[in-house]
Each structure stands twice: as C-alpha cells, then as structure tokens.
Amino acid sequence: KTLGLLTTDLALHAPSQIASAVKSRAGQASASVIISMLEQHDAASCVAALQELLAQRVEGVLINVPLDDALAQQLAAQVHPTPVLFLDVGETAGVNSLVFDARQGARLGVEHLLALGHRRIALLGGPETSVSARARFTGWVDALADANLTPCASACGDWSAASGYEKAHGLLSGAAQPPQAILVANDQMALGVMRACAEKGIAVTGQISVVGYDDTADSAWFSPPLTTVRQAFKEAGERSVDWLLNASEQDAVSQICLPVTLIERLSTA
Ligand code: IPT
C-alpha cells in the first residue's frame, strides 16, 4: 500500500517526530509513505497539496496540519472515498481524527504549578492560527479560573525557540511583581524562555518555574531538564498508520482522543 502524509513544517520538532513514527510503522507493514509538506496552511495550498498526493494514487491520507473545522471538512470531502485521518483538528470538526487531549494537558500543567504553591502564573501560547494552540490556551485559563486565578501576563509565539526567547523578554519585564512560573505551549519555545531567564539573571528554578508541552526527544537535555506535558508522538504515528491500513470506506466517523502525561523534571520547583 501507499499512504500519503500531508504535514505542517517538518523543521518543527513535533511534526518531524510524528512523520518519523509514521514512516517506520508503515515500513514495518511494507507500506510506503509519500510526504507532502506545507509551509502555508491556507485553503488553496492545502487543496493543491492534497490533489498532488491523490494523483499519486495514495490509498490513505494522514493530515497533520492545524485546521479549522470548515477547512477540515472541505478536505475530508476532497479526499473521499479514500480513507483520511486528521491529527490536528478540534472535536467539533466531525471528521476522522486522532488527537491528544489538550484540555487535560493544560490542566496537568496548571495543577502541577498550583501544587508547588505558585499563584502568579504567566502563559506563553502558540500561534492563534493553530486549533491546538488555542485549545491549550483556553485550557490553562479555565484551569486557573477554577482556582480563582487569572494569568498574570500572557503572549503568543509561533512555536519556535526564537519566539519563546523574544516573548519571554516581554513577559519578564515591566510587571512590578514578576511571574513565579510560566506555562509554555511547546518545548521549543520553553528553550527560548529559559535562555531569556538566564540572560536576565532569573534562576530556573529558585526564582521561576517553567513548564513545556510536547516532551520532544531533546527536552530531557535542556538545562535544567524540562518539566513538560508529554504527547506520545511515536504511539500517535503508529496508531494513525494502523488505523489507515485497517480503514474501509463505509466506516463511521472515528474520533480518537489520546491521553497526555506530565513529566516532572528540574525546571519546576
Ligand atoms: C503540535 C506541537 O505541540 C507544537 O509544538 C508544534 O510543533 C505544532 O504541533 C505544529 O503544528 S502537536 C500537534 C499534533 C497538535
């Protein structure tokens, strides 16, 4: 069999780890994977890339691109009757999906910081164009509200370490009382945040705690090693391939939500 993977920028760690898992699982099943990478997520770019994949006679398609409901539904219709599974959509899209539980992930980070006694908590979200970034952000705000707290400061980056560095400088300056902790929507931005803290002479931990999100392969090697919300990308990639290889045209809509876990390391205290 030949499968297609339409993915967002593979220069980012999370999508590249998913693509790696997809490739190796497909290889074990003697299936090949044609990868098409998008740098723009607008409708026209998505439609054109999918058209190219379908022209190569793929027998199943995985889409790891952050998509709003309407565009996901449009693409699902375009791929029909070939089986398709979306990896970065909201549950209201009503398309076949395999996603991680963003609400649980956001809550795990907040509850960890609350248990450590922190109250002045800043948020560094991902890009507003990403459905998962918005879900994490809302999850943080809701979990803080349940503890009668509001974020002491917030900003949004673009998933890169550079944006984490830049936005952290903003979050750490100005306020009379600096944050005791920052929740960051991915590990790459958390790396930039820790660099900004080091430059400002703010000790992680001691003066501030940092929680990342993803647990990509390098996060245990940050200094200090990063506390983060683990999304098991290898398992997600494997399950996606297995799902596609077993899918048939008449199956009912399947929405799989995978749990996430908090990995406690040394960036929080
Ligand atoms: C999501 C990652 O958490 C984030 O770090 C970034 O790489 C993003 O992907 C790129 O779109 S994981 C996704 C399956 C929600």
Side-chain angles (χ1 to χ4, degrees), residues 8 12 14-15 18 64 66 87-88 132 136 159 185-186 214 231 233:
T8 187
L12 291 170
I18 291 172
N64 181 23
L87 304 183
D88 197 354
S132 299
R136 290 172 203 174
W159 297 129
N186 81 340
D214 279 349
Q231 303 196 98
F233 294 121

Side-chain angles (χ1 to χ4, degrees), residues 198-216:
E199 285 183 359
K200 286 185 154 293
I202 301 172
V204 182
T205 56
Q207 287 165 294
I208 200 165
S209 287
V210 178
V211 180
Y213 205 111
D214 279 349
D215 196 30
T216 38

